[in-house]
Amino acid sequence: MVFAVPNIHETQDNDDRYLGQFIPLHYHHHMLTSEYRMGAFKTAIEHTVFSGAKVLELGGGSGVLSWFAAAKAEKVWCVEYNPDLVIEARRLLQLNTGSDCIELIHDDAFSYLPPEPVDIVICEMLHPAMLVEKQINVIKQFKERYRQQISSTLPRFLPEAVVLAVQSIQQNYVFMGFHAPIIAFQIPIAPHMDTTELAAPQVYSSVDYSKEMSEKFTWEGQFILEAGSVNALRFITKNILCISGTDNEITEWHNPHLILPLTEPLDAKAGDILQVSFNYSAGGSLSQLQNSIKATIVRP
Ligand SMILES: C[S@@+](CC[C@H](N)C(=O)[O-])C[C@H]1O[C@@H](n2cnc3c(N)ncnc32)[C@H](O)[C@@H]1O
């Protein structure tokens, strides 16, 4: 997960699979300092990884999630593609006791397979709306290879699923008098003073990593609006990290909300209907989603 991602790739409509692959080193500090993210993953790993488990992490970054897993696992294979991070993770893991069972591997999650069956696969290549980073694409291809070459019984995935929702909002885009309707990321667990919700969010897709997964998201739907000026859509990404077997407790974590401005604000009276459609590919660019959005008001 990355908060606001100043990634040069996002300005291109290049949808090759490596879009979003390289997250600059300093963002890993940012990810390490998010107690919300770290706490949720630590809890989910504690619930999921059992004593003696064999664990694979795809996209290990600093190695922190593999290190959480190593507290109970017998063996952790931690795969990272960015060579700078492999060097950094190696250094960091050496600083931390309890890393002995972690094997750090410089390889591509799109092609790597562990040498033997694993119980759990951890993968945090999560980006708002499942754009940019390659979580769905990587896991989809991993499952195919794993079934063909290792076992017909798949490991458990952490996260287990993601629920995607969209909401029509009025967003404040005036900054000290300067009008700038611009893409934004919003911390999910904070008050949102700049946002007025004009309708309840609607789920447009959910993905269960253990099942067949589509890499395409296509949605058409309607919102019944409160009075206001609809000038943006807010995309909500709720990751179900794990459902614990004993008490069905769900550990979840939201990516930052993605707020995309509409090309023109639409003035709405209470009860007006907003007709919305969009489509995009998992792992695709932000502009791909933004350019596909169609929103019109339909008066009942
Ligand atoms: C959002 S970061 C998460 C890092 C770490 N797991 C954590 O939670 O702090 C995603 C990581 O996946 C790595 N990555 C992206 N694509 C990859 C690929 N195809 N193969 C291996 N690693 C990849 C990135 O370099 C990055 O370190």
Side-chain angles (χ1 to χ4, degrees):
M1 181 289 304
V2 178
F3 276 67
V5 199
N7 184 332
I8 52 163
H9 296 295
E10 287 177 12
T11 59
Q12 304 167 355
D13 264 336
N14 173 3
D15 277 352
D16 77 15
R17 69 183 206 188
Y18 291 104
L19 179 83
Q21 190 109 37
F22 288 107
I23 293 163
L25 206 50
H26 59 273
Y27 268 96
H28 288 271
H29 174 258
H30 194 66
M31 288 188 278
L32 289 166
T33 54
S34 166
E35 278 183 31
Y36 173 47
R37 188 189 85 99
M38 293 281 279
F41 274 91
K42 187 168 187 288
T43 302
I45 288 168
E46 282 166 0
H47 282 315
T48 310
V49 176
F50 52 88
S51 185
K54 307 243 167 113
V55 178
L56 170 64
E57 185 183 8
L58 297 172
S62 65
V64 63
L65 302 188
S66 285
W67 184 75
F68 288 156
K72 284 200 226 150
E74 182 185 323
K75 173 81 189 177
V76 184
W77 290 273
C78 175
V79 179
E80 172 57 48
Y81 192 62
N82 180 339
D84 294 340
L85 268 164
V86 174
I87 294 167
E88 197 62 1
R90 193 153 282 140
R91 183 178 76 85
L92 298 179
L93 289 171
Q94 275 170 3
L95 290 177
N96 287 279
T97 51
S99 304
D100 291 352
C101 70
I102 304 172
E103 189 176 333
L104 190 59
I105 297 145
H106 182 201
D107 210 333
D108 186 351
F110 273 107
S111 54
Y112 181 80
L113 269 181
E116 57 185 280
V118 291
D119 302 296
I120 296 139
V121 173
I122 300 169
C123 185
E124 200 278 69
M125 298 187 197
L126 298 166
H127 191 275
M130 305 311 281
L131 286 161
V132 183
E133 292 189 64
K134 306 298 180 196
Q135 179 94 0
I136 290 179
N137 323 68
V138 159
I139 292 181
K140 193 176 165 80
Q141 292 187 31
F142 171 83
K143 281 160 56 178
E144 282 165 21
R145 287 195 310 281
Y146 192 90
R147 278 198 182 105
Q148 279 167 8
Q149 296 177 48
I150 298 210
S151 168
S152 56
T153 308
L154 288 174
R156 184 170 177 185
F157 290 95
L158 189 169
E160 301 203 22
V162 61
V163 179
L164 299 159
V166 61
Q167 185 174 28
S168 50
I169 58 169
Q170 178 173 334
Q171 182 71 7
N172 173 34
Y173 284 121
V174 179
F175 306 96
M176 291 198 173
F178 184 66
H179 183 220
I182 195 168
I183 182 169
F185 293 88
Q186 187 176 57
I187 295 173
I189 46 162
H192 300 137
M193 311 305 277
D194 282 349
T195 305
T196 307
E197 301 183 6
L198 296 180
Q202 291 193 43
V203 172
Y204 65 88
S205 191
S206 60
V207 177
D208 177 341
Y209 296 111
S210 69
K211 306 259 165 54
E212 282 304 301
M213 302 185 288
S214 170
E215 289 169 278
K216 298 277 178 211
F217 298 108
T218 302
W219 190 73
E220 205 174 320
Q222 294 186 331
F223 297 93
I224 301 173
L225 296 170
E226 305 288 338
S229 175
V230 191
N231 62 1
L233 294 180
R234 172 154 77 177
F235 290 85
I236 297 164
T237 309
K238 175 169 159 170
N239 300 286
I240 310 297
L241 300 189
C242 77
I243 304 173
S244 122
T246 41
D247 49 9
N248 289 333
E249 187 193 329
I250 294 177
T251 306
E252 61 187 41
W253 173 70
H254 281 83
N255 281 93
H257 302 324
L258 166 64
I259 298 181
L260 293 175
L262 301 179
T263 41
E264 290 293 334
L266 301 165
D267 288 331
K269 298 197 294 292
D272 279 354
I273 290 169
L274 182 73
Q275 179 92 31
V276 173
S277 69
F278 54 82
N279 64 81
Y280 65 97
S281 306
S285 63
L286 295 165
S287 57
Q288 186 197 37
L289 167 57
Q290 186 160 20
N291 294 339
S292 79
I293 293 172
K294 292 192 177 59
T296 46
I297 288 193
V298 186
R299 297 240 141 81

